[in-house]
Amino acid sequence: MASLPDKSTPPRTWPDGEALLAALSPAMVDLMDELSSTMFCAKDVTGRYVLVNRVFVARTNERSRRAVLGKRATDLFVPQLAERYDQQDAEVLRTGRPLRNELELIRRLGGTPGWFLTSKLPVHDAAGHLVGLVSVSQDLREDDADDASMDSMARLVAGIEERLGQALTVADLAALAGCTPAVLDRRVRRVFSLSPRQLVLRARVDRAAELLVGSDSPIAEIAVVTGFYDQPAFTRTFARLTGETPSSFRRRARR
């Protein structure tokens, strides 16, 4: 069974947790504990923490992994954020689609906030059954990202989401972020490892994927509402970035 190398790990777990642990690579799990600025956790399908690393424990009010494992987000984080995490988890588990590079402010109960970039991926066992998810959250303060910069990026992401159907120039994006185009480029590359245009394109493809799975809207309509010139342009771009056409993606996701 995979386990983090720490004496505080409980000697037992529950059936849902056992299935998740068995599906995880021991080497990957051990590697997560070497990270110094990234939170790692694995949750079973009921939302209970099965594995966490030292950085994760440090962001809670608990002193050991033993005290964290088996708990849920509502036990460890402020209610508003715990609810958001639960919603994220439910979406990943429902759709089977990863959550990538979600900018968020993580606060422990009674603790100080910190900006993190979070990604979550579903985990399946050898038979293909969904057994939980894994999550990593990178502490952006380690990159000397001040609160003003992170607030700027949060406003940018929200603005892009609200305007996906519109043509967005670099000047438009800079205005959303409240900075110059040059500063915008530096901030986006530092936080997301993308250019501003790539950030917009990824947001459009992510939204399109959600609509393809979660709605019966025609592909041409999805192309328009996510900001592509027309259906052929959407199909070419979507296939280039995902490896399959929108129609094949929809069919596969609904099997």
Side-chain angles (χ1 to χ4, degrees):
M1 178 189 301
S3 62
L4 288 170
D6 182 80
K7 294 181 180 179
S8 66
T9 301
R12 64 170 183 81
T13 184
W14 46 93
D16 289 325
E18 290 282 1
L20 176 56
L21 288 172
L24 296 176
S25 161
M28 182 275 290
V29 170
D30 290 347
L31 182 63
M32 291 299 102
D33 216 36
E34 299 299 319
L35 301 175
S36 61
S37 61
T38 301
M39 298 168 63
F40 164 79
C41 72
K43 295 181 182 181
D44 67 15
V45 292
T46 72
R48 287 182 290 192
Y49 291 101
V50 175
L51 286 172
V52 295
N53 67 354
R54 289 190 297 263
V55 179
F56 186 99
V57 175
R59 292 303 305 180
T60 73
N61 284 336
E62 303 295 349
R63 295 179 177 272
S64 69
R65 273 188 274 262
R66 181 183 295 274
V68 171
L69 299 186
K71 291 186 175 179
R72 293 181 169 86
T74 51
D75 302 315
L76 302 171
F77 301 101
V78 296
Q80 299 91 331
L81 294 181
E83 181 180 355
R84 180 181 180 188
Y85 304 153
D86 287 343
Q87 291 172 346
Q88 292 174 347
D89 296 348
E91 184 69 9
V92 171
L93 295 174
R94 182 184 68 81
T95 66
R97 300 285 297 174
L99 171 76
R100 299 189 186 278
N101 294 328
E102 181 80 2
L103 185 66
E104 56 192 5
L105 194 64
I106 295 179
R107 284 173 285 178
R108 61 188 179 186
L109 292 169
T112 56
W115 283 105
F116 285 76
L117 203 59
T118 295
S119 295
K120 298 183 178 183
L121 284 75
V123 177
H124 299 82
D125 64 16
H129 300 127
L130 184 65
V131 292
L133 60 83
V134 290
S135 172
V136 290
S137 298
Q138 179 187 356
D139 187 346
L140 296 175
R141 289 183 183 274
E142 293 296 318
D143 295 327
D144 296 324
D146 56 83
D147 286 344
S149 295
M150 296 316 305
D151 180 66
S152 170
M153 292 298 93
R155 285 187 280 112
L156 173 64
V157 169
I160 291 173
E161 290 292 333
E162 292 175 357
R163 297 167 176 80
L164 280 183
Q166 304 175 17
L168 292 171
T169 67
V170 172
D172 294 331
L173 298 175
L176 289 173
C179 60
T180 66
V183 171
L184 171 75
D185 189 77
R186 289 197 299 271
R187 287 178 176 175
V188 172
R189 290 182 185 277
R190 180 172 62 179
V191 172
F192 299 104
S193 298
L194 300 168
S195 71
R197 291 190 182 278
Q198 288 173 326
L199 182 64
V200 174
L201 182 58
R202 189 186 65 188
R204 286 176 171 155
V205 170
D206 285 346
R207 176 70 64 81
E210 293 174 3
L211 293 173
L212 287 168
V213 175
S215 78
D216 294 319
S217 300
I219 291 176
E221 181 179 317
I222 292 175
V224 172
V225 300
T226 53
F228 291 93
Y229 177 73
D230 55 19
Q231 183 173 342
F234 169 52
T235 298
R236 288 193 301 271
T237 302
F238 192 90
R240 175 169 59 86
L241 295 179
T242 69
E244 54 188 330
T245 64
S247 58
S248 63
F249 175 87
R250 172 176 269 174
R251 286 195 301 269
R252 180 184 58 79
R254 292 184 173 185
R255 285 175 186 168

